[in-house]
Amino acid sequence: TSSSMATQESANSTILDVIREELSFWDPKRTMTMAAWSVCLYTPFYIGLYRLYDRYLPKQTPASIAARVALSFLTSIPVNAAFYTYGAAVHHTMEWMDSRKKLQVELEELGLDYVSAYQAATSIPYPEEAFWAKAQHKLETELHNTVVTSGSCWIPFNLFTFTMVPSHLRPISLMVFSAFWNCYLSLS
């Protein structure tokens, strides 16, 4: 029994080590951004889309279900592209603002007064071309895998939702599943 207790302690220690390692990468601001993205944009967009389906594809035929699933998947592509472009914009803007603040501090350390250092630092123009290059790179490196993963997750989910879940409960199931989806996106 002492060897089984030692094995159990080792397993618990390993699990705790894995959890600690995963939490070391956790970014609460990114999590909040993902939650806001989901609550404010993603879910309302798809709830509106589901209402359009109920209006224009009201019957539960195989063709209407297939159309709903396909349209939901196809609309996810520009939604995910917008998400990655938004993410690139936020990161790029934060880097730009940090570089301005760093310059201001360096100028103050060199003896410039606060106002002069602030004016010099804030005169740095926003590097728009660099943003578009970063956004394009993010789309080229992340979007394809996200679309493939999206299809493998959302197509079965939507097939189940449009065949088994009553229309009035679909927004709830969408919100619950999209929380998990946004957790995945936050890691990519």
Side-chain angles (χ1 to χ4, degrees), residues 50 161 164-175:
Y50 283 14
T161 299
M164 305 300 283
V165 177
S167 181
H168 67 283
L169 295 177
R170 288 181 190 148
I172 295 168
S173 65
L174 172 68
M175 286 186 280

Side-chain angles (χ1 to χ4, degrees), residues 141-188:
T141 59
E142 305 279 340
L143 186 60
H144 179 265
N145 289 338
T146 301
V147 169
V148 170
T149 306
S150 173
S152 66
C153 294
W154 284 101
I155 289 173
F157 171 80
N158 283 326
L159 185 61
F160 173 78
T161 299
F162 293 131
T163 57
M164 305 300 283
V165 177
S167 181
H168 67 283
L169 295 177
R170 288 181 190 148
I172 295 168
S173 65
L174 172 68
M175 286 186 280
V176 170
F177 195 76
S178 69
F180 292 104
W181 176 248
N182 283 310
C183 287
Y184 164 77
L185 284 180
S186 75
L187 297 173
S188 64

Side-chain angles (χ1 to χ4, degrees), residues 78-97:
V79 168
N80 288 323
F83 166 76
Y84 282 124
T85 303
Y86 163 79
V90 168
H91 287 278
H92 182 69
T93 302
M94 294 304 292
E95 289 172 0
W96 171 66
M97 291 174 70

Side-chain angles (χ1 to χ4, degrees), residues 95-109 121 124:
E95 289 172 0
W96 171 66
M97 291 174 70
D98 287 344
S99 69
R100 288 174 31 162
K101 183 64 178 168
K102 183 179 175 185
L103 176 62
Q104 179 182 350
V105 169
E106 289 172 359
L107 291 173
E108 287 175 19
E109 288 173 354
I124 298 172

